[in-house]
């Protein structure tokens, strides 16, 4: 270990010189130190005179030890294996990397020579020290070692399945009995379980297991973006996929046709539904697992709507009749918004029935129907049946064809509130789409009350959020008057909390189109899309892009994220 020589300047003097404490605060801390024997830095933090980060930076200057910004480092897996979890927690040290005979570690107390020497004796390596605030260091250690018992480690145990294996067989020659034997062995069970638990911990909405020519790609969709997690050897493909198919109640012998299944797991007192879908590809079956956490439904206030827009939305979903449509691409949060609406308006006095494909969340007090086209239970047929069930509110998962659209309009005209989704680019396009599907313009005017176009954008990570000055050209290109705004926007620097993406969580950007008398006149005249949009915006409609820019200026998301989804 390098012997760090203290400079002649004491820590208190460094802090005074930097203006971080006052002489009176230092004197108070010294008096307490004489009674307790604690380090002066710890006392100053306990008294609330200074932050841990300031102490760490002052120690870095005093001892000439590099300061480590924990949000900017990615520890090597080789280094993590050198120091066990209990040692890292006991001595509050974080291994960074191994270079030859040197192990780089982060510590909160480089003056604790006993701990440092203990680590040297344990690892038989020379130490290169960095310093970081104690609390942040503890958080980083907890996060890093919580991932140590992960699917990556479970994968290492799977390699024993390859021992004694003959040359790889073709797809047609796969031994089904061998696969059945493998999927019940502990390594496979542990790997699949840990893979699912890792996905839940990482807030993944989907797990993609995709066979490649020479390997298997495992990815998590987190905040709408796919991230590569693992790439197991090709030899383990059938054991992993078959284990998941068994859990989901599928036929492991059928590999030529798509299958669907589902199962539930409990993780840290949370019940999570997993919906499994298989698809035969040229390299084997691809599996996608959708993770749906029970009791994770959002309220209208949590979706991302502004206060004034929430009032508009509530006004129309409280109506006893008419139609409210949500539009946007797959994965834009339409169903989540509809569920939030149902949760807001449901009461024991209302008979609410839903038609969904599939039923994603179970809603207490709501009659939910799973669409099954294979047996003829389509949205249109389901709607005809529902109308004989005396409903007050009907939720139709998606309007896909003219027959369903006609039934939805008829339901809205006969005293029912109809909530549904329709695929279109924006709110105005939704109105045009209904007419183009074959619904008479006067029926659209009479039945449609509100259209909400929605997208999901990632939010800036609160742990590594930082301000920056954007280029004037970028602001001008977005239509932002630079002279009226502060030259400051925000972005995520990237840290362990957000997997170094700079984003954590998602929120909605949207546009509301109320079907006002002016809009109805344009619908009856079958006005152009551009004409209808201009009238709506003059009446106060905020476009998807404009709503996104508002969230950029408030520091909720970034320009790049808004441009990505709009």
């Amino acid at each position: 270990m390098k012997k760090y020589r203290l400079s002649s300047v004491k820590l208190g003097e460094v802090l005074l010189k930097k203006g971080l404490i006052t002489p009176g605060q230092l004197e108070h801390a010294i008096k307490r130190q004489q009674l307790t024997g604690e380090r002066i830095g710890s006392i100053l933090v306990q008294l609330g005179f200074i932050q841990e980060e300031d102490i760490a930076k002052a120690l870095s200057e005093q001892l000439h030890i590099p300061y480590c910004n924990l949000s900017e480092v990615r520890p090597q897996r080789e280094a993590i294996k050198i120091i066990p979890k209990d040692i890292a927690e006991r001595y509050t040290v974080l291994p960074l990397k191994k270079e030859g005979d040197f192990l780089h570690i982060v510590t909160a107390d480089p003056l604790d020579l006993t701990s440092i020497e203990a680590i040297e004796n344990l690892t038989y390596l020379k130490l290169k020290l960095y310093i970081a605030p104690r609390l942040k260091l503890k958080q980083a250690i907890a996060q890093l070692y919580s991932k140590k018992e992960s699917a990556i480690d479970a994968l290492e145990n799977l390699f024993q399945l390859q021992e004694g294996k003959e040359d790889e067989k073709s797809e047609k020659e796969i031994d089904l009995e061998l696969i059945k034997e493998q999927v019940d062995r502990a390594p496979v069970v542990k790997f699949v379980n840990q893979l699912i638990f890792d996905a839940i911990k990482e807030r993944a909405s989907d797990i993609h297991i995709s066979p490649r020519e020479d390997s298997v790609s495992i990815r998590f969709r987190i905040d709408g973006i796919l991230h590569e997690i693992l790439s197991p050897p090709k030899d383990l493909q059938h054991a992993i996929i078959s284990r998941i198919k068994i859990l989901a109640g599928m036929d492991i012998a059928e590999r030529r046709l798509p299958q669907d299944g589902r199962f539930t797991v409990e993780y840290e007192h949370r019940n999570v539904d997993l919906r499994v879908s298989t698809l035969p590809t040229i390299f084997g079956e691809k599996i996608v697992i959708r993770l749906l956490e029970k009791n994770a439904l959002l309220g209208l206030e949590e979706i991302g709507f502004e206060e004034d827009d929430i009032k508009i939305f509530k006004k129309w979903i409280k109506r006893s009749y008419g139609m409210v449509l949500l539009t946007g691409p797959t994965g834009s949060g339409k169903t989540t918004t509809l569920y939030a609406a149902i949760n807001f308006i449901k009461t024991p006095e209302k008979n609410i029935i839903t038609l969904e494909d599939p039923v994603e969340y179970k809603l207490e007090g709501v009659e939910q129907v799973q669409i099954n086209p294979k047996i003829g239970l389509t949205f249109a047929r389901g709607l005809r049946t529902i109308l004989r069930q005396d409903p007050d509110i009907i939720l139709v998962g998606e309007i896909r064809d003219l027959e369903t659209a006609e039934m939805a309009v008829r339901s809205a005209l006969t005293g029912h509130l109809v909530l549904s989704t329709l695929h279109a680019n924006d709110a105005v396009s939704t109105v045009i789409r209904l007419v183009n599907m074959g619904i008479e313009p006067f029926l659209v005017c009479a039945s449609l009350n509100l259209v909400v176009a929605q997208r999901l954008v990632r939010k800036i990570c609160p742990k590594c959020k930082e301000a920056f000055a954007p280029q004037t050209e970028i602001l001008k290109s977005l239509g932002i008057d630079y002279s009226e705004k502060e030259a400051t926007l925000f972005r995520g620097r990237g840290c362990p909390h957000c997997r170094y993406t700079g984003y954590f969580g998602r929120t909605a950007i949207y546009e509301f189109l109320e079907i006002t008398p002016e809009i109805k006149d344009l619908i009856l005249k079958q006005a152009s899309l551009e004409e209808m949009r201009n009238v709506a915006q003059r009446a106060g409609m905020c476009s998807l892009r404009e709503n996104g820019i508002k969230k950029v200026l408030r520091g909720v998301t970034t320009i790049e994220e808004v441009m990505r989804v709009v």
Side-chain angles (χ1 to χ4, degrees):
M1 178 186 70
K2 176 183 175 181
K3 303 302 180 182
Y4 293 96
R5 183 175 59 84
L6 288 174
S7 68
S8 59
V9 182
K10 295 182 178 180
L11 177 62
E13 294 175 1
V14 173
L15 297 174
L16 274 175
K17 184 178 179 181
K18 288 178 172 291
L20 296 172
I21 59 173
T22 66
Q25 289 173 335
L26 178 58
E27 184 180 354
H28 183 56
I30 291 174
K31 288 180 180 179
R32 179 165 171 175
Q33 183 188 41
Q34 292 170 348
L35 295 173
T36 64
E38 295 177 86
R39 295 240 171 94
I40 196 73
S42 299
I43 294 173
L44 289 168
V45 172
Q46 292 170 20
L47 292 173
F49 294 157
I50 198 169
Q51 300 295 317
E52 281 191 338
E53 188 170 356
D54 297 321
I55 293 289
K57 289 180 177 178
L59 277 173
S60 171
E61 181 177 320
Q62 184 191 23
L63 303 176
H64 308 291
I65 298 175
Y67 177 82
C68 179
N69 187 336
L70 293 170
S71 65
E72 296 178 351
V73 298
R74 299 191 185 190
Q76 291 178 349
R77 186 159 187 80
E78 180 186 4
I80 300 169
K81 291 181 178 180
I82 293 172
I83 298 183
K85 179 181 180 182
D86 60 329
I87 298 297
E89 291 177 336
R90 184 190 310 170
Y91 297 126
T92 317
V93 294
L94 180 74
L96 291 181
K97 61 182 177 179
K98 180 179 178 293
E99 287 184 343
D101 294 333
F102 282 88
L103 178 64
H104 295 240
I105 68 168
V106 188
T107 176
D109 189 358
L111 296 177
D112 185 0
L113 301 183
T114 302
S115 298
I116 293 170
E117 287 176 0
I119 295 172
E120 280 188 331
N121 294 333
L122 173 72
T123 61
Y124 296 100
L125 294 169
K126 301 173 185 177
L127 298 184
K128 166 68 175 175
L129 299 184
Y130 299 82
I131 190 169
R134 184 176 297 275
L135 180 59
K136 289 186 176 180
L137 186 56
K138 286 184 175 181
Q139 292 172 343
I141 292 168
Q143 184 172 14
L144 182 70
Y145 282 92
S146 69
K147 294 179 181 178
K148 192 170 187 297
E149 293 299 324
S150 67
I152 296 175
D153 299 273
L155 180 62
E156 294 175 0
N157 297 325
L158 270 175
F159 285 104
Q160 63 183 305
L161 293 179
Q162 294 175 273
E163 296 178 2
K165 182 181 174 295
E166 297 178 2
D167 292 339
E168 187 175 353
K169 298 179 180 181
S170 69
E171 181 74 17
K172 294 181 180 179
E173 297 173 323
I174 291 172
D175 188 338
L176 189 59
E177 292 303 318
L178 177 60
I179 294 296
K180 288 180 179 178
E181 179 187 344
Q182 288 179 340
V183 298
D184 289 330
R185 292 173 67 177
V188 176
V189 173
K190 182 179 179 181
F191 174 77
V192 172
N193 290 348
Q194 196 62 56
L195 182 68
I196 293 168
F197 293 155
D198 283 356
I200 297 171
K201 283 190 290 186
E202 296 284 357
R203 304 176 298 108
S205 60
D206 302 87
I207 303 171
H208 286 241
I209 303 176
S210 308
R212 307 296 189 213
E213 186 172 4
D214 300 315
S215 65
V216 181
S217 168
I218 297 182
R219 295 172 290 172
F220 291 169
R221 187 177 294 279
I222 303 171
D223 293 334
I225 304 295
L226 282 172
H227 298 269
E228 189 81 30
I229 302 298
L230 287 171
S231 185
K234 184 74 172 178
D235 300 324
L236 303 176
Q237 170 182 318
H238 297 292
I240 294 169
I241 290 175
S242 296
R243 173 61 185 169
I244 294 170
K245 289 172 72 174
I246 288 173
L247 290 172
M250 298 179 179
D251 182 2
I252 66 170
E254 179 55 75
R255 298 186 299 275
R256 298 168 298 174
L257 295 174
Q259 295 186 67
D260 293 300
R262 65 191 311 162
F263 62 101
T264 301
V265 299
E266 182 178 342
Y267 177 75
E268 294 183 349
H269 309 293
R270 295 146 57 192
N271 288 321
V272 181
D273 282 332
L274 292 96
R275 199 172 68 227
V276 184
S277 171
T278 70
L279 178 70
T281 72
I282 58 173
F283 297 126
E285 290 178 286
K286 174 180 179 178
I287 282 190
V288 174
I289 305 172
R290 170 65 57 87
L291 289 82
L292 300 166
E293 188 169 342
K294 297 180 178 179
N295 304 319
L297 296 178
L298 300 179
L300 291 175
E301 291 76 11
E302 300 170 285
I303 289 172
F305 291 167
E306 306 289 342
E307 187 175 345
D308 291 342
D309 293 325
I310 289 178
K311 292 177 182 177
I312 295 172
F313 193 67
K314 287 181 177 179
K315 177 182 76 173
W316 290 114
I317 63 176
K318 284 180 178 178
R319 290 290 180 98
S320 58
Y321 62 91
M323 189 159 57
V324 174
L325 292 180
L326 271 86
T327 186
T330 301
S332 60
K334 303 186 297 295
T335 303
T336 299
T337 302
L338 287 180
Y339 277 162
I342 290 292
N343 262 341
F344 175 74
I345 59 180
K346 72 176 183 179
T347 65
E349 293 78 28
K350 293 178 180 177
N351 181 22
I352 304 175
I353 305 178
T354 75
L355 287 170
E356 304 174 61
D357 184 21
V359 174
E360 293 194 357
Y361 295 97
K362 295 177 183 177
L363 301 172
E364 187 176 352
V366 177
E367 309 298 333
Q368 295 175 270
V369 179
Q370 170 76 54
I371 291 302
N372 190 347
K374 293 179 181 178
I375 60 173
L377 181 54
T378 61
F379 280 114
R381 185 172 180 179
L383 263 174
R384 280 194 294 270
T385 304
I386 281 177
L387 290 175
R388 296 194 290 270
Q389 292 286 317
D390 186 30
D392 297 298
I393 301 167
I394 302 170
L395 187 153
V396 182
E398 183 182 347
I399 295 176
R400 298 175 177 172
D401 50 48
L402 175 59
E403 186 179 10
T404 305
E406 288 175 336
M407 291 299 302
V409 167
R410 187 184 308 172
S411 302
L413 292 173
T414 54
H416 306 92
L417 176 65
V418 178
L419 307 176
S420 189
T421 71
L422 184 68
H423 282 288
N425 291 328
D426 53 39
V428 176
S429 298
T430 304
V431 178
I432 304 296
R433 173 86 191 280
L434 278 174
V435 175
N436 290 341
M437 287 177 74
I439 303 298
E440 292 291 340
F442 74 91
L443 291 177
V444 174
C445 294
S447 61
L448 189 59
N449 290 335
L450 175 71
V451 181
V452 180
Q454 182 171 310
R455 301 287 191 278
L456 291 179
V457 294
R458 293 179 292 172
K459 296 190 292 185
I460 298 172
C461 174
K463 301 287 187 180
C464 60
K465 186 175 181 179
E466 64 177 9
F468 74 101
Q471 295 180 359
T472 307
E473 293 74 15
I474 294 177
L475 295 179
K476 286 182 178 179
S477 69
L478 295 173
I480 300 173
D481 189 346
Y482 188 84
S483 62
E484 295 181 5
K485 303 293 179 184
E486 293 184 2
T488 303
L489 295 180
F490 294 89
R491 62 190 174 194
R493 185 173 56 251
C495 65
H497 183 66
C498 61
R499 296 178 57 86
Y500 301 95
T501 63
Y503 298 98
F504 190 92
R506 290 192 289 178
T507 189
I509 61 173
Y510 53 87
E511 62 183 21
F512 278 22
L513 175 64
E514 293 185 89
I515 310 303
T516 61
E518 293 78 12
I519 296 296
K520 289 182 180 181
D521 288 341
L522 294 174
I523 295 173
L524 291 172
K525 295 175 184 177
Q526 297 194 40
S528 68
L529 179 68
E530 198 61 36
E531 186 179 358
M532 198 176 297
R533 182 180 289 119
N534 289 337
V535 170
Q537 289 181 334
R538 284 199 298 269
M541 184 186 80
C542 180
S543 71
L544 281 164
R545 190 169 182 268
E546 292 167 342
N547 185 256
I549 290 172
K550 283 183 180 180
K551 286 183 166 60
V552 169
L553 295 175
R554 291 213 316 267
V556 176
T557 188
T558 63
I559 293 173
E560 294 80 8
E561 187 65 7
V562 172
M563 294 299 100
R564 181 180 68 85
V565 301
V566 175

